[in-house]
């Protein structure tokens, strides 16, 4: 089988992790990298040439798109540039793996999806967490009924990302803020767990002087279940911050047990605890899944793209475009509650 050739649009820090992940795949190579800065593109090539000796640098996305050198492109530039960059490649029929957040809002996401379908091109959001071995195991436990019906999910997710004035995370003109930088992770995970759309959202927010959300708390209700003395809600709650380090755990509680995921976004480990005969959860986990770490974790989403493109699929079953659009619509609803509008919206 011939080598599958990726290109990268936007050679930043996350692109370096993606490139390292590609090095774990035997039948995949990095063929090209493009940036509006020729210096940045050439520097990226020098850094990775030992791993990818045929890697070529381009000083524009258009030149890489027109070179017909790649089988798919990974987009990892600024949030504000995702739509335009994705449509450039999709319009040429080139498959696209677009970094999260997929776009600034649901309207942009809809246009990207329409472009992919108009040109019969593959498109997927780069929500790498969905493809990690730990997340795959969690889905398996839930599918096998280990914790029964999922009732609740709780997540806190925080890092200190507001340390410098010129960081994109603090710039509203670059689509910064806690919601689009980190909040899309729990929103996506909740969508994977509950499938249906929330009927109610309650949230609070803290804003930075730059206008972005520095932290937020949100509760999502996903419909009701009948109980003896009234109805109960299927509920998810998230606390997210780009100004404070949090525990970064996800807890999923069901009728027969619960799952706790350590560093859920990068899938460090998961523990399943079952309900005992006394009606309470046992004091020790029934099973712990802690796979060996393989740098950098981005190879799993890349492998999904390769498999889908080679089989002729236009979207992933694991990260379907309908869920991506749902995530962006939820983000829009939250920003509407907070009164946050990005320039140009």
């Amino acid at each position: 089988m011939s080598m599958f050739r990726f290109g990268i649009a936007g050679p930043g820090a996350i692109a370096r992790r993606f490139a390292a992940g590609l090095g774990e795949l035997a039948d995949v190579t990095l063929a090209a990298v493009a940036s509006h800065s020729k210096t940045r593109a050439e520097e990226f090539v020098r850094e990775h040439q030992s791993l990818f000796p045929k890697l070529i640098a381009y000083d524009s996305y258009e030149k890489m798109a027109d070179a017909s050198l790649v089988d798919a492109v990974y987009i990892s530039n600024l949030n504000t540039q995702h739509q335009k960059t994705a449509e450039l490649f999709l319009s040429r029929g080139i498959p696209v793996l677009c970094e999260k957040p997929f776009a600034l809002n649901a309207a942009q996401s809809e246009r990207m999806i329409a472009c992919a379908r108009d040109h019969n091109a593959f498109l997927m959001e780069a929500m790498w967490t969905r493809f990690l071995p730990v997340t795959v195991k969690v889905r398996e436990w839930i599918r096998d009924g280990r914790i029964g019906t999922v009732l609740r999910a709780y997540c806190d997710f925080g890092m200190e990302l507001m340390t410098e004035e010129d960081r994109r995370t603090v710039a509203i003109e670059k689509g910064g803020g806690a919601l689009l930088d980190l909040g899309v992770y729990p929103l996506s995970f909740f969508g994977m767990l509950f499938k249906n759309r929330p009927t109610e959202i309650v949230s609070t927010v803290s804003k930075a002087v730059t206008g972005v959300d520095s932290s937020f708390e949100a509760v999502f209700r996903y419909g009701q279940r009948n109980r003896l003395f009234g109805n109960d809600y299927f509920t998810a709650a998230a606390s997210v911050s780009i100004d404070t380090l949090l525990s970064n755990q996800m807890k999923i509680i069901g009728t027969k047990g619960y799952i706790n995921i350590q560093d859920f976004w990068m899938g460090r480990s998961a523990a399943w605890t079952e309900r005992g005969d006394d009606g309470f959860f046992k004091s020790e986990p029934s099973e712990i899944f802690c796979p060996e770490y393989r740098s950098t974790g981005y190879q799993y989403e890349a492998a999904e793209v390769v498999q889908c493109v080679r089989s002729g699929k236009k979207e992933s079953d694991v990260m379907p475009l309908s869920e991506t659009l749902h995530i962006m619509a939820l983000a829009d609803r939250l920003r509407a509650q907070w009164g946050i509008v990005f320039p140009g919206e």
Side-chain angles (χ1 to χ4, degrees), residues 14 17 99-101 125-130 132 155 157 159 178-192 216 238 240 250 263-267 298 301 327:
I14 197 166
R17 294 195 289 272
E99 191 52 67
K100 67 216 159 318
E125 179 186 6
M127 181 54 70
W128 70 306
T129 304
R130 289 231 177 170
L132 296 172
C155 172
F157 192 26
M159 302 178 188
L179 176 60
L180 292 194
D181 200 74
L182 298 184
V184 290
Y185 281 95
L187 264 59
S188 180
F189 215 102
F190 295 159
M192 183 183 72
F216 71 89
V240 179
M250 173 80 67
D263 291 328
F264 83 99
W265 63 289
M266 61 181 294
Y298 286 78
E301 64 178 3
I327 294 163

Side-chain angles (χ1 to χ4, degrees), residues 79-243:
N79 301 343
T80 51
Q81 300 171 332
H82 286 183
Q83 180 196 353
K84 182 179 179 180
T85 309
E87 289 177 350
L88 168 70
F89 290 97
L90 292 169
S91 66
R92 289 160 170 80
I94 299 173
V96 167
L97 172 64
C98 187
E99 191 52 67
K100 67 216 159 318
F102 193 65
L104 286 183
N105 51 47
Q108 288 188 359
S109 302
E110 287 178 332
R111 289 192 284 271
M112 291 163 65
I113 293 169
C115 184
R117 289 173 177 164
D118 287 345
H119 296 279
N120 198 32
F122 175 86
L123 176 62
M124 188 182 92
E125 179 186 6
M127 181 54 70
W128 70 306
T129 304
R130 289 231 177 170
F131 303 94
L132 296 172
V134 163
T135 309
V136 173
K137 176 60 71 173
V138 168
R139 286 200 299 268
E140 178 186 307
W141 282 342
I142 294 173
R143 185 177 62 249
D144 292 347
R146 298 285 188 95
I147 65 169
T149 301
V150 175
L151 303 176
R152 302 282 193 276
Y154 301 104
C155 172
D156 67 85
F157 192 26
M159 302 178 188
E160 295 178 347
L161 302 177
M162 304 183 73
T163 55
E164 301 169 8
E165 291 183 2
D166 61 347
R167 291 196 70 159
R168 62 165 182 80
T169 49
V170 303
I172 195 165
E173 68 274 11
K174 294 180 179 179
L179 176 60
L180 292 194
D181 200 74
L182 298 184
V184 290
Y185 281 95
L187 264 59
S188 180
F189 215 102
F190 295 159
M192 183 183 72
L193 293 173
F194 292 99
K195 304 300 182 186
N196 57 336
R197 308 300 184 242
T199 56
E200 185 179 353
I201 303 174
V202 180
S203 68
T204 60
V205 67
S206 297
K207 296 181 183 179
V209 295
T210 59
V212 303
D213 52 307
S214 57
S215 66
F216 71 89
E217 296 76 34
V219 177
F220 305 88
R221 284 181 163 180
Y222 292 87
Q224 300 179 343
R225 65 176 186 137
N226 296 325
R227 305 295 290 157
L228 182 60
F229 294 100
N231 294 327
D232 184 28
Y233 287 89
F234 300 96
T235 305
S239 177
V240 179
S241 176
I242 54 171
D243 196 33

Side-chain angles (χ1 to χ4, degrees), residues 5-19 22 29-38 40-42 44-45 48 55-66 69-90 92 94-102 112 123 126 168 301:
R5 303 164 301 172
F6 267 99
I8 288 178
I14 197 166
R16 285 168 166 79
R17 294 195 289 272
F18 182 79
L22 291 184
T29 189
L30 181 59
V33 58
S35 172
H36 293 307
S37 166
K38 184 177 181 180
R40 289 188 68 203
E42 291 177 341
F44 192 93
V45 168
H48 297 86
L55 180 59
I56 297 174
Y58 291 95
D59 60 5
S60 77
Y61 302 147
E62 290 82 0
K63 288 180 181 178
M64 184 170 75
D66 292 335
L69 189 65
V70 299
D71 300 305
V73 63
Y74 169 67
I75 295 173
S76 54
N77 51 10
L78 293 175
N79 301 343
T80 51
Q81 300 171 332
H82 286 183
Q83 180 196 353
K84 182 179 179 180
T85 309
E87 289 177 350
L88 168 70
F89 290 97
L90 292 169
R92 289 160 170 80
I94 299 173
V96 167
L97 172 64
C98 187
E99 191 52 67
K100 67 216 159 318
F102 193 65
M112 291 163 65
L123 176 62
R168 62 165 182 80
E301 64 178 3

Side-chain angles (χ1 to χ4, degrees), residues 20-32:
L22 291 184
E24 295 289 319
L25 301 176
D27 59 345
V28 175
T29 189
L30 181 59

